[in-house]
Amino acid sequence: MDIDCLSFRKTGYFSNLICDYIEGKNEVEVLYNQFPKLENFKAQIKEKESFPVAHRKVLVKALKNQYKNVKTSSLTSEHIDSLENERTFTVVTGHQLNLFTGPLYFLYKIVSAINLANKLKEEYPDYNFVPVYWMATEDHDFEEINYFNFQGKKIQWNKEASGAVGHLSTKGLEEVFEIFSLGVGGSKNATHLKELFAKAYLEHETLTEATRFLANELFKVQGLVIVDGDDKNLKELLLPYMKKDIFEQVSFHDISNRIEEIQKINSDYPIQVNPREINYFYLIDGIRERIIEQDGNYFVNDTQLSFSKEELIKELEEYPERFSPNVVARPLYQEVILPNLCYIGGGGELAYWLELQSSFESMDIPFPILLLRNSALVITGKQKEKLKKLNVSYDDVFLKQHSLINKKIREISNIDIDFSPQKELLEEQFKGMYNLAEKTDKSFLGAVKAQEVKQKKGLDNLEKRLLKAQKRKLEDHVMRLTDIQNELFPNQSLQERQLNFSELYLEYGEALLPMLFKSLNPLDLSFVILTKN
C-alpha cells in the first residue's frame, strides 16, 4: 500500500478545537494534562501508579466472569490476568453496539488502541500495556445503532426497543441476515462475512453478547480486552463518585465552569455536551431514564418512580447496577475502574473529554492522555486510476464538491473563466472616481461606492454564467468528477463515517486488518490516505 498524509485541518472535516488541540496550540493547553507524545507517557504512568490494587482485583474478577462463555486467544487471557499486576496499564477506546460494527471507524479506533499499546511496550518495556474496547452497552438510543450501510443502502433492524441496548434480544436479526446475504454475493470473502454475522447475531441471545463475540473474533489475535461497564461489581467502585455527582453536583458545577473557560478561549469552539445537575440514569426492566431532583426528592423521568434522599442512598448502596452514567459521567467511570493511561476517540468524543479535566481533579482521579483516533481514506486500484485520469490530487478530492468541480473546470477550460484581472482594473478606475468625488462633492462618495459594488456584482454574475456554460459543455467531465468523489465520500461525508468494514473486506479479505495495523500510526496525528501501489 502507498501511504499519504494530509493534515486534519486541511481535510475540512474536523473542528477548530480538535485541530488546535492536535497541533498543540498554547491556548488549549489548560484543557488537558499531557499531550499525546510517546515521551509524555512516562509522567502519565507515574501519575496512574496510584491506581488501587483492590480495584485491579475487582476488575480482573469481573472480566473473567464476562469472558466465561467466550473462546478467546491466549494473549487476551494473559492481558486480563496481567491487569492485576501494578505495572500493567490500559489504552482504551469505546464505541456503541452498532449493528455489524456500524461505520468503518470502529476498526480504526481499535487498531489505534492496539498499535499504541504495542508502541508503549517498545518504549517502556518494564511495563505492560493492554488495549481495551469499552462497549457502550448501557446506551439507550436504539435508532443510532440499529443499522449499517452497505453498498449505498441502509440495512436496518426494525423492532420496538427501550432501555439499555445491550440488554436487547437478538431475535429478529434473521431478517437482517437474509437481506445482507442477498447483497454480499458468494465470493470467498463474502462467505466469511456471512459466517461472521451469523455466528455473532444468530447464535447469541443479547446484543452485548453478539458484539463481544464479533469484536473478539476480529481482534483476539492482538489480545484485545473487551469491557462491559454494565456490571454490579464494577459499579460498586463508582459508588462514592456517584454520590458526589448526585448529591453535591460536583460534575455539573465544574464542567459548567470549564465550558465558560472554553468559550472565552474561542467562542467558535463547539460545546459538545452540557452537564446536567445529575449525570446518571436509572436503569431497570427496559427503562433508562434521567434522575431529577426536585425539592429534596428524586424522580425518575417519565415514570412513577421516586425516592427521598435517604431512599436513594439506600438504592445506590444495594443496587449500584441500577445507576447508569451519562455521556459526562461515563469517562470518569472508565478511569475509576481501569488503570488507564490514554483514551482514544473521534473528534466529537475528544471535544467533550476536553470539558472534563476540572471535574476529574475535584474527584481526585487522574485525567488520561487524549488521542485522536486514526482516520483514513482507502482508495482502491480502480479509484486511483480514475483520479489519475482526471488529474485530481488528494488535496483536491477533499474539496467541497462544487469547489472541486469549479476548480477542475477552470483548469481544463479553453477559455479564461477567472475575471480577477477585470475586477482589479475596475478597482483602479474607481480609485480615480473616489478622488474626484473627494475634491468636488463628498456626498457623491456613497453613490460611487454603490456603483462599484454594482459593477463588481455584474462581473461576478457573468463569471458564474460563463462557468455554468462551461460545465454544460464539459458535462461528461463533471459527471466523472462527481462520481469518483461520491464513491470516496458517500453522502458527502468521510468514507469512515458511512461505509461498513464489510465493503473493504470484500475487496481486501484477510489482508484488510494487517494492512491497517501496518499503515496506521496512532501518534502521527495526520489523516491517512491508503492506495494500492
Side-chain angles (χ1 to χ4, degrees), residues 140 276-283 287-293 298-303 305 324 326:
H140 62 263
R276 296 188 181 276
E277 286 83 356
I278 296 173
N279 293 290
Y280 285 86
F281 295 93
Y282 192 71
L283 177 65
I287 294 171
R288 187 179 187 247
E289 291 290 345
R290 290 192 296 117
I291 301 169
I292 302 168
E293 186 267 335
Y298 297 83
F299 301 86
V300 179
N301 193 44
D302 287 340
T303 75
L305 296 170
S324 177
N326 71 0

PDB file of all heavy atoms in Angstrom, residues 140 276-283 287-293 298-303 305 324 326:
ATOM      1  N   HIS A 140     -29.094   3.991  25.297  1.00  0.00           N
ATOM      2  CA  HIS A 140     -30.491   3.615  25.044  1.00  0.00           C
ATOM      3  C   HIS A 140     -31.033   4.164  23.724  1.00  0.00           C
ATOM      4  O   HIS A 140     -32.227   4.040  23.454  1.00  0.00           O
ATOM      5  CB  HIS A 140     -31.388   4.063  26.211  1.00  0.00           C
ATOM      6  CG  HIS A 140     -31.409   5.545  26.432  1.00  0.00           C
ATOM      7  ND1 HIS A 140     -30.624   6.157  27.376  1.00  0.00           N
ATOM      8  CD2 HIS A 140     -32.102   6.535  25.832  1.00  0.00           C
ATOM      9  CE1 HIS A 140     -30.835   7.459  27.368  1.00  0.00           C
ATOM     10  NE2 HIS A 140     -31.735   7.724  26.413  1.00  0.00           N
ATOM     11  N   ARG A 276     -25.628  17.912  33.272  1.00  0.00           N
ATOM     12  CA  ARG A 276     -26.894  18.074  33.993  1.00  0.00           C
ATOM     13  C   ARG A 276     -26.578  18.147  35.489  1.00  0.00           C
ATOM     14  O   ARG A 276     -25.487  17.767  35.915  1.00  0.00           O
ATOM     15  CB  ARG A 276     -27.831  16.911  33.698  1.00  0.00           C
ATOM     16  CG  ARG A 276     -28.253  16.833  32.226  1.00  0.00           C
ATOM     17  CD  ARG A 276     -29.321  15.788  32.014  1.00  0.00           C
ATOM     18  NE  ARG A 276     -29.726  15.685  30.616  1.00  0.00           N
ATOM     19  CZ  ARG A 276     -30.626  16.456  30.026  1.00  0.00           C
ATOM     20  NH1 ARG A 276     -31.212  17.426  30.717  1.00  0.00           N
ATOM     21  NH2 ARG A 276     -30.942  16.282  28.752  1.00  0.00           N
ATOM     22  N   GLU A 277     -27.558  18.612  36.243  1.00  0.00           N
ATOM     23  CA  GLU A 277     -27.352  18.641  37.692  1.00  0.00           C
ATOM     24  C   GLU A 277     -27.060  17.240  38.217  1.00  0.00           C
ATOM     25  O   GLU A 277     -26.267  17.060  39.143  1.00  0.00           O
ATOM     26  CB  GLU A 277     -28.602  19.209  38.389  1.00  0.00           C
ATOM     27  CG  GLU A 277     -28.777  20.710  38.243  1.00  0.00           C
ATOM     28  CD  GLU A 277     -29.449  21.096  36.932  1.00  0.00           C
ATOM     29  OE1 GLU A 277     -29.709  20.197  36.093  1.00  0.00           O
ATOM     30  OE2 GLU A 277     -29.715  22.297  36.736  1.00  0.00           O
ATOM     31  N   ILE A 278     -27.716  16.237  37.627  1.00  0.00           N
ATOM     32  CA  ILE A 278     -27.444  14.825  37.951  1.00  0.00           C
ATOM     33  C   ILE A 278     -27.128  14.107  36.643  1.00  0.00           C
ATOM     34  O   ILE A 278     -27.930  14.122  35.710  1.00  0.00           O
ATOM     35  CB  ILE A 278     -28.652  14.172  38.652  1.00  0.00           C
ATOM     36  CG1 ILE A 278     -28.907  14.850  40.001  1.00  0.00           C
ATOM     37  CG2 ILE A 278     -28.429  12.671  38.839  1.00  0.00           C
ATOM     38  CD1 ILE A 278     -30.172  14.383  40.698  1.00  0.00           C
ATOM     39  N   ASN A 279     -25.976  13.466  36.593  1.00  0.00           N
ATOM     40  CA  ASN A 279     -25.500  12.870  35.345  1.00  0.00           C
ATOM     41  C   ASN A 279     -25.610  11.341  35.352  1.00  0.00           C
ATOM     42  O   ASN A 279     -24.743  10.636  34.817  1.00  0.00           O
ATOM     43  CB  ASN A 279     -24.062  13.308  35.085  1.00  0.00           C
ATOM     44  CG  ASN A 279     -23.977  14.791  34.801  1.00  0.00           C
ATOM     45  OD1 ASN A 279     -24.411  15.263  33.769  1.00  0.00           O
ATOM     46  ND2 ASN A 279     -23.463  15.544  35.763  1.00  0.00           N
ATOM     47  N   TYR A 280     -26.703  10.858  35.929  1.00  0.00           N
ATOM     48  CA  TYR A 280     -26.955   9.411  35.974  1.00  0.00           C
ATOM     49  C   TYR A 280     -28.397   9.108  35.590  1.00  0.00           C
ATOM     50  O   TYR A 280     -29.318   9.883  35.885  1.00  0.00           O
ATOM     51  CB  TYR A 280     -26.653   8.845  37.365  1.00  0.00           C
ATOM     52  CG  TYR A 280     -25.163   8.744  37.615  1.00  0.00           C
ATOM     53  CD1 TYR A 280     -24.463   9.839  38.097  1.00  0.00           C
ATOM     54  CD2 TYR A 280     -24.454   7.580  37.313  1.00  0.00           C
ATOM     55  CE1 TYR A 280     -23.080   9.785  38.282  1.00  0.00           C
ATOM     56  CE2 TYR A 280     -23.083   7.514  37.497  1.00  0.00           C
ATOM     57  CZ  TYR A 280     -22.400   8.610  37.977  1.00  0.00           C
ATOM     58  OH  TYR A 280     -21.043   8.546  38.146  1.00  0.00           O
ATOM     59  N   PHE A 281     -28.548   7.982  34.927  1.00  0.00           N
ATOM     60  CA  PHE A 281     -29.863   7.434  34.593  1.00  0.00           C
ATOM     61  C   PHE A 281     -30.201   6.336  35.602  1.00  0.00           C
ATOM     62  O   PHE A 281     -29.305   5.738  36.218  1.00  0.00           O
ATOM     63  CB  PHE A 281     -29.871   6.800  33.197  1.00  0.00           C
ATOM     64  CG  PHE A 281     -29.643   7.766  32.069  1.00  0.00           C
ATOM     65  CD1 PHE A 281     -28.376   7.994  31.563  1.00  0.00           C
ATOM     66  CD2 PHE A 281     -30.710   8.431  31.489  1.00  0.00           C
ATOM     67  CE1 PHE A 281     -28.163   8.866  30.511  1.00  0.00           C
ATOM     68  CE2 PHE A 281     -30.518   9.302  30.423  1.00  0.00           C
ATOM     69  CZ  PHE A 281     -29.236   9.519  29.939  1.00  0.00           C
ATOM     70  N   TYR A 282     -31.485   6.069  35.716  1.00  0.00           N
ATOM     71  CA  TYR A 282     -31.939   4.901  36.473  1.00  0.00           C
ATOM     72  C   TYR A 282     -32.210   3.807  35.456  1.00  0.00           C
ATOM     73  O   TYR A 282     -32.946   4.006  34.477  1.00  0.00           O
ATOM     74  CB  TYR A 282     -33.195   5.226  37.284  1.00  0.00           C
ATOM     75  CG  TYR A 282     -33.551   4.173  38.297  1.00  0.00           C
ATOM     76  CD1 TYR A 282     -32.774   3.985  39.441  1.00  0.00           C
ATOM     77  CD2 TYR A 282     -34.674   3.358  38.121  1.00  0.00           C
ATOM     78  CE1 TYR A 282     -33.099   3.019  40.378  1.00  0.00           C
ATOM     79  CE2 TYR A 282     -35.006   2.390  39.054  1.00  0.00           C
ATOM     80  CZ  TYR A 282     -34.209   2.222  40.182  1.00  0.00           C
ATOM     81  OH  TYR A 282     -34.531   1.257  41.108  1.00  0.00           O
ATOM     82  N   LEU A 283     -31.625   2.634  35.692  1.00  0.00           N
ATOM     83  CA  LEU A 283     -31.629   1.548  34.708  1.00  0.00           C
ATOM     84  C   LEU A 283     -32.263   0.302  35.309  1.00  0.00           C
ATOM     85  O   LEU A 283     -31.713  -0.313  36.215  1.00  0.00           O
ATOM     86  CB  LEU A 283     -30.182   1.252  34.275  1.00  0.00           C
ATOM     87  CG  LEU A 283     -29.931   0.112  33.294  1.00  0.00           C
ATOM     88  CD1 LEU A 283     -30.563   0.409  31.936  1.00  0.00           C
ATOM     89  CD2 LEU A 283     -28.431  -0.110  33.133  1.00  0.00           C
ATOM     90  N   ILE A 287     -36.001   0.152  31.208  1.00  0.00           N
ATOM     91  CA  ILE A 287     -36.066   1.600  31.432  1.00  0.00           C
ATOM     92  C   ILE A 287     -34.657   2.143  31.632  1.00  0.00           C
ATOM     93  O   ILE A 287     -33.852   1.570  32.366  1.00  0.00           O
ATOM     94  CB  ILE A 287     -36.912   1.935  32.687  1.00  0.00           C
ATOM     95  CG1 ILE A 287     -38.372   1.546  32.466  1.00  0.00           C
ATOM     96  CG2 ILE A 287     -36.795   3.414  33.043  1.00  0.00           C
ATOM     97  CD1 ILE A 287     -39.204   1.642  33.735  1.00  0.00           C
ATOM     98  N   ARG A 288     -34.320   3.222  30.959  1.00  0.00           N
ATOM     99  CA  ARG A 288     -33.117   4.004  31.259  1.00  0.00           C
ATOM    100  C   ARG A 288     -33.517   5.469  31.146  1.00  0.00           C
ATOM    101  O   ARG A 288     -33.575   6.038  30.068  1.00  0.00           O
ATOM    102  CB  ARG A 288     -31.971   3.675  30.301  1.00  0.00           C
ATOM    103  CG  ARG A 288     -30.642   4.363  30.689  1.00  0.00           C
ATOM    104  CD  ARG A 288     -29.529   3.993  29.731  1.00  0.00           C
ATOM    105  NE  ARG A 288     -28.229   4.500  30.152  1.00  0.00           N
ATOM    106  CZ  ARG A 288     -27.531   5.448  29.494  1.00  0.00           C
ATOM    107  NH1 ARG A 288     -28.037   6.003  28.405  1.00  0.00           N
ATOM    108  NH2 ARG A 288     -26.349   5.844  29.936  1.00  0.00           N
ATOM    109  N   GLU A 289     -33.846   6.047  32.300  1.00  0.00           N
ATOM    110  CA  GLU A 289     -34.368   7.407  32.324  1.00  0.00           C
ATOM    111  C   GLU A 289     -33.585   8.268  33.315  1.00  0.00           C
ATOM    112  O   GLU A 289     -33.033   7.771  34.304  1.00  0.00           O
ATOM    113  CB  GLU A 289     -35.852   7.400  32.718  1.00  0.00           C
ATOM    114  CG  GLU A 289     -36.782   6.797  31.683  1.00  0.00           C
ATOM    115  CD  GLU A 289     -36.935   7.654  30.438  1.00  0.00           C
ATOM    116  OE1 GLU A 289     -36.542   8.851  30.480  1.00  0.00           O
ATOM    117  OE2 GLU A 289     -37.452   7.141  29.426  1.00  0.00           O
ATOM    118  N   ARG A 290     -33.559   9.560  33.055  1.00  0.00           N
ATOM    119  CA  ARG A 290     -32.818  10.501  33.890  1.00  0.00           C
ATOM    120  C   ARG A 290     -33.370  10.582  35.312  1.00  0.00           C
ATOM    121  O   ARG A 290     -34.572  10.452  35.526  1.00  0.00           O
ATOM    122  CB  ARG A 290     -32.859  11.901  33.275  1.00  0.00           C
ATOM    123  CG  ARG A 290     -32.061  12.034  32.013  1.00  0.00           C
ATOM    124  CD  ARG A 290     -31.903  13.493  31.605  1.00  0.00           C
ATOM    125  NE  ARG A 290     -33.160  14.132  31.275  1.00  0.00           N
ATOM    126  CZ  ARG A 290     -33.677  15.158  31.933  1.00  0.00           C
ATOM    127  NH1 ARG A 290     -33.064  15.640  33.001  1.00  0.00           N
ATOM    128  NH2 ARG A 290     -34.823  15.700  31.547  1.00  0.00           N
ATOM    129  N   ILE A 291     -32.452  10.813  36.238  1.00  0.00           N
ATOM    130  CA  ILE A 291     -32.834  11.078  37.628  1.00  0.00           C
ATOM    131  C   ILE A 291     -32.874  12.593  37.812  1.00  0.00           C
ATOM    132  O   ILE A 291     -31.919  13.293  37.453  1.00  0.00           O
ATOM    133  CB  ILE A 291     -31.827  10.442  38.605  1.00  0.00           C
ATOM    134  CG1 ILE A 291     -31.760   8.930  38.394  1.00  0.00           C
ATOM    135  CG2 ILE A 291     -32.201  10.769  40.048  1.00  0.00           C
ATOM    136  CD1 ILE A 291     -30.609   8.258  39.119  1.00  0.00           C
ATOM    137  N   ILE A 292     -33.964  13.101  38.360  1.00  0.00           N
ATOM    138  CA  ILE A 292     -34.167  14.544  38.512  1.00  0.00           C
ATOM    139  C   ILE A 292     -34.473  14.859  39.973  1.00  0.00           C
ATOM    140  O   ILE A 292     -35.293  14.188  40.600  1.00  0.00           O
ATOM    141  CB  ILE A 292     -35.331  15.031  37.618  1.00  0.00           C
ATOM    142  CG1 ILE A 292     -35.054  14.695  36.150  1.00  0.00           C
ATOM    143  CG2 ILE A 292     -35.563  16.525  37.797  1.00  0.00           C
ATOM    144  CD1 ILE A 292     -36.253  14.879  35.254  1.00  0.00           C
ATOM    145  N   GLU A 293     -33.805  15.873  40.506  1.00  0.00           N
ATOM    146  CA  GLU A 293     -34.061  16.294  41.890  1.00  0.00           C
ATOM    147  C   GLU A 293     -35.026  17.478  41.910  1.00  0.00           C
ATOM    148  O   GLU A 293     -34.866  18.440  41.148  1.00  0.00           O
ATOM    149  CB  GLU A 293     -32.746  16.693  42.560  1.00  0.00           C
ATOM    150  CG  GLU A 293     -32.866  17.001  44.047  1.00  0.00           C
ATOM    151  CD  GLU A 293     -33.105  18.476  44.327  1.00  0.00           C
ATOM    152  OE1 GLU A 293     -32.723  19.314  43.477  1.00  0.00           O
ATOM    153  OE2 GLU A 293     -33.693  18.791  45.390  1.00  0.00           O
ATOM    154  N   TYR A 298     -36.190  12.807  44.675  1.00  0.00           N
ATOM    155  CA  TYR A 298     -35.553  12.391  43.424  1.00  0.00           C
ATOM    156  C   TYR A 298     -36.528  11.550  42.612  1.00  0.00           C
ATOM    157  O   TYR A 298     -37.101  10.581  43.113  1.00  0.00           O
ATOM    158  CB  TYR A 298     -34.269  11.610  43.726  1.00  0.00           C
ATOM    159  CG  TYR A 298     -33.253  12.461  44.441  1.00  0.00           C
ATOM    160  CD1 TYR A 298     -33.308  12.647  45.823  1.00  0.00           C
ATOM    161  CD2 TYR A 298     -32.265  13.129  43.732  1.00  0.00           C
ATOM    162  CE1 TYR A 298     -32.398  13.461  46.484  1.00  0.00           C
ATOM    163  CE2 TYR A 298     -31.344  13.949  44.382  1.00  0.00           C
ATOM    164  CZ  TYR A 298     -31.414  14.108  45.754  1.00  0.00           C
ATOM    165  OH  TYR A 298     -30.524  14.929  46.391  1.00  0.00           O
ATOM    166  N   PHE A 299     -36.708  11.966  41.358  1.00  0.00           N
ATOM    167  CA  PHE A 299     -37.695  11.335  40.481  1.00  0.00           C
ATOM    168  C   PHE A 299     -36.996  10.739  39.264  1.00  0.00           C
ATOM    169  O   PHE A 299     -36.015  11.284  38.761  1.00  0.00           O
ATOM    170  CB  PHE A 299     -38.732  12.358  40.018  1.00  0.00           C
ATOM    171  CG  PHE A 299     -39.485  13.014  41.142  1.00  0.00           C
ATOM    172  CD1 PHE A 299     -38.972  14.135  41.787  1.00  0.00           C
ATOM    173  CD2 PHE A 299     -40.692  12.487  41.574  1.00  0.00           C
ATOM    174  CE1 PHE A 299     -39.656  14.726  42.831  1.00  0.00           C
ATOM    175  CE2 PHE A 299     -41.391  13.079  42.622  1.00  0.00           C
ATOM    176  CZ  PHE A 299     -40.871  14.198  43.257  1.00  0.00           C
ATOM    177  N   VAL A 300     -37.551   9.617  38.793  1.00  0.00           N
ATOM    178  CA  VAL A 300     -37.071   9.027  37.553  1.00  0.00           C
ATOM    179  C   VAL A 300     -37.976   9.523  36.439  1.00  0.00           C
ATOM    180  O   VAL A 300     -39.192   9.282  36.443  1.00  0.00           O
ATOM    181  CB  VAL A 300     -37.074   7.488  37.619  1.00  0.00           C
ATOM    182  CG1 VAL A 300     -36.591   6.898  36.293  1.00  0.00           C
ATOM    183  CG2 VAL A 300     -36.199   7.005  38.778  1.00  0.00           C
ATOM    184  N   ASN A 301     -37.392  10.245  35.499  1.00  0.00           N
ATOM    185  CA  ASN A 301     -38.144  10.914  34.435  1.00  0.00           C
ATOM    186  C   ASN A 301     -39.059   9.951  33.673  1.00  0.00           C
ATOM    187  O   ASN A 301     -38.679   8.816  33.368  1.00  0.00           O
ATOM    188  CB  ASN A 301     -37.155  11.562  33.462  1.00  0.00           C
ATOM    189  CG  ASN A 301     -37.809  12.543  32.514  1.00  0.00           C
ATOM    190  OD1 ASN A 301     -38.640  13.348  32.930  1.00  0.00           O
ATOM    191  ND2 ASN A 301     -37.436  12.484  31.246  1.00  0.00           N
ATOM    192  N   ASP A 302     -40.284  10.418  33.381  1.00  0.00           N
ATOM    193  CA  ASP A 302     -41.265   9.654  32.597  1.00  0.00           C
ATOM    194  C   ASP A 302     -41.669   8.332  33.244  1.00  0.00           C
ATOM    195  O   ASP A 302     -42.061   7.378  32.558  1.00  0.00           O
ATOM    196  CB  ASP A 302     -40.745   9.380  31.173  1.00  0.00           C
ATOM    197  CG  ASP A 302     -40.763  10.639  30.315  1.00  0.00           C
ATOM    198  OD1 ASP A 302     -41.497  11.583  30.667  1.00  0.00           O
ATOM    199  OD2 ASP A 302     -40.054  10.665  29.294  1.00  0.00           O
ATOM    200  N   THR A 303     -41.532   8.231  34.560  1.00  0.00           N
ATOM    201  CA  THR A 303     -42.003   7.047  35.298  1.00  0.00           C
ATOM    202  C   THR A 303     -42.689   7.519  36.578  1.00  0.00           C
ATOM    203  O   THR A 303     -42.688   8.718  36.903  1.00  0.00           O
ATOM    204  CB  THR A 303     -40.843   6.102  35.689  1.00  0.00           C
ATOM    205  OG1 THR A 303     -40.113   6.673  36.784  1.00  0.00           O
ATOM    206  CG2 THR A 303     -39.917   5.832  34.513  1.00  0.00           C
ATOM    207  N   LEU A 305     -41.603   6.371  39.439  1.00  0.00           N
ATOM    208  CA  LEU A 305     -40.605   6.082  40.475  1.00  0.00           C
ATOM    209  C   LEU A 305     -40.088   7.366  41.113  1.00  0.00           C
ATOM    210  O   LEU A 305     -39.771   8.338  40.418  1.00  0.00           O
ATOM    211  CB  LEU A 305     -39.422   5.318  39.866  1.00  0.00           C
ATOM    212  CG  LEU A 305     -39.730   3.922  39.308  1.00  0.00           C
ATOM    213  CD1 LEU A 305     -38.546   3.388  38.515  1.00  0.00           C
ATOM    214  CD2 LEU A 305     -40.066   2.974  40.456  1.00  0.00           C
ATOM    215  N   SER A 324     -26.836   4.298  35.873  1.00  0.00           N
ATOM    216  CA  SER A 324     -26.092   4.272  34.624  1.00  0.00           C
ATOM    217  C   SER A 324     -25.547   5.664  34.294  1.00  0.00           C
ATOM    218  O   SER A 324     -26.326   6.621  34.175  1.00  0.00           O
ATOM    219  CB  SER A 324     -27.008   3.786  33.491  1.00  0.00           C
ATOM    220  OG  SER A 324     -26.354   3.817  32.254  1.00  0.00           O
ATOM    221  N   ASN A 326     -24.250   8.945  32.362  1.00  0.00           N
ATOM    222  CA  ASN A 326     -24.500   9.527  31.043  1.00  0.00           C
ATOM    223  C   ASN A 326     -23.171   9.848  30.364  1.00  0.00           C
ATOM    224  O   ASN A 326     -22.095   9.469  30.848  1.00  0.00           O
ATOM    225  CB  ASN A 326     -25.417  10.758  31.148  1.00  0.00           C
ATOM    226  CG  ASN A 326     -24.726  11.960  31.783  1.00  0.00           C
ATOM    227  OD1 ASN A 326     -23.553  11.920  32.155  1.00  0.00           O
ATOM    228  ND2 ASN A 326     -25.464  13.055  31.916  1.00  0.00           N
TER     229      ASN A 326
END
